[in-house]
């Protein structure tokens, strides 16, 4: 039913599994003895975090934040509002921020700086998708699943008007969907 709205698939289900497995191996090495706190930014992080956590072979803790950034304004204000905060302290903890996509870079940059300000021992970022052509602030994720071109993508956590997050792959919507 959802598939009929998709013009092309950018990252297949199989590719996502491979990405999670590869990144999971790297993260297992990096964080083996660090008892990291893996922080997902809701809601987009959920599917990717689900597959990634299963590939991280160590003790870790999981937490979530919900932040809203002001997209599409005339100016890039960089305002990020915290709708739900972490319930545990990040002081002296190694934090791994898990994202579905880094686009302008605003959300992740602000949250990374906030967690460092709160006393985290380290803050690194893992993202399923990186869209460097969308950047308005300087930011390079530490772990990148796949770099994508300047296209509006949905699926595997990414939404259009809150829909399509449950697509099991990442794709580009047909233009007529926007014009409905
Ligand atoms: C999306 C996405 C990232 C952010 C990336 O979240 O999940 O958190 O935007 O964009 P940026 O690099 O331009 O800041 P959104 O605020 O749309 O919330 P959602 O996760 O609930 O979709």
């Amino acid at each position: 039913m959802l598939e009929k709205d998709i013009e092309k698939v950018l990252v297949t289900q199989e590719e996502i599994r491979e990405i999670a497995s590869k990144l999971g191996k790297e993260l297992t090495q990096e964080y083996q003895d660090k008892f990291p706190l893996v922080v997902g930014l809701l809601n987009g992080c959920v599917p990717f975090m689900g597959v990634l956590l299963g590939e991280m072979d160590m003790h870790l803790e999981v937490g979530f934040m919900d932040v809203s950034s002001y997209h599409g304004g005339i100016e890039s204000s960089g305002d990020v509002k915290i709708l739900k905060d972490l319930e545990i302290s990040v002081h002296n903890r190694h934090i791994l921020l898990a994202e579905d996509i880094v686009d302008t870079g605003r959300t992740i940059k602000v949250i990374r700086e906030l967690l460092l300000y709160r006393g985290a021992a380290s803050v690194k970022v893992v993202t399923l998708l990186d869209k460097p052509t969308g950047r308005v602030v300087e930011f390079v994720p530490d772990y990148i699943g796949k770099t994508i071109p300047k296209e509006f993508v949905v699926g595997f956590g990414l939404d259009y008007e809150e829909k399509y997050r449950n697509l099991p792959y990442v794709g580009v919507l047909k233009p007529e969907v926007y014009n409905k």
Side-chain angles (χ1 to χ4, degrees):
M1 180 253 169
L2 296 178
E3 204 172 334
K4 69 171 179 7
D5 293 345
I6 302 301
E7 186 166 82
K8 64 177 171 189
V9 177
L10 270 194
V11 195
T12 65
Q13 226 174 330
E14 179 56 27
E15 208 178 339
I16 293 171
R17 266 196 292 268
E18 285 165 13
I19 287 169
S21 162
K22 180 178 164 282
L23 291 177
K25 283 193 183 77
E26 289 177 39
L27 293 167
T28 298
Q29 288 232 319
E30 164 81 25
Y31 288 103
Q32 192 53 231
D33 302 311
K34 293 184 177 161
F35 189 46
L37 171 58
V38 184
V39 175
L41 300 189
L42 295 168
N43 294 317
C45 70
V46 171
F48 179 53
M49 211 162 150
V51 292
L52 187 67
L53 289 176
E55 302 287 343
M56 294 178 69
D57 189 13
M58 78 203 68
H59 288 298
L60 54 77
E61 251 184 300
V62 172
F64 292 95
M65 293 178 80
D66 191 0
V67 300
S68 78
S69 30
Y70 297 94
H71 292 265
I74 302 164
E75 273 177 25
S76 48
S77 65
D79 282 340
V80 173
K81 192 170 163 192
I82 297 176
L83 306 175
K84 179 204 176 298
D85 209 339
L86 284 168
E87 279 143 38
I88 34 178
S89 169
V90 299
H91 192 73
N92 285 339
R93 296 295 303 270
H94 292 283
I95 311 295
L96 178 66
L97 282 167
E99 266 287 28
D100 49 349
I101 188 166
V102 177
D103 186 355
T104 66
R106 274 189 226 129
T107 311
I108 204 67
K109 188 168 181 162
V110 168
I111 297 305
R112 182 177 176 276
E113 281 164 12
L114 173 71
L115 298 182
L116 285 170
Y117 173 78
R118 287 177 177 177
S122 70
V123 182
K124 289 196 174 186
V125 174
V126 58
T127 185
L128 172 62
L129 305 174
D130 186 24
K131 199 200 276 184
T133 51
R135 282 303 191 286
V136 299
V137 295
E138 217 173 289
F139 189 84
V140 182
D142 301 277
Y143 299 91
I144 296 167
K146 185 165 183 170
T147 302
I148 58 163
K150 200 177 173 67
E151 273 185 293
F152 184 77
V153 289
V154 295
F156 218 75
L158 292 141
D159 72 301
Y160 169 61
E161 294 184 336
E162 295 303 323
K163 293 177 283 189
Y164 301 98
R165 291 192 199 274
N166 53 322
L167 267 183
Y169 51 83
V170 177
V172 178
L173 279 178
K174 287 180 182 162
E176 59 258 37
V177 178
Y178 299 103
N179 305 326
K180 263 181 197 164

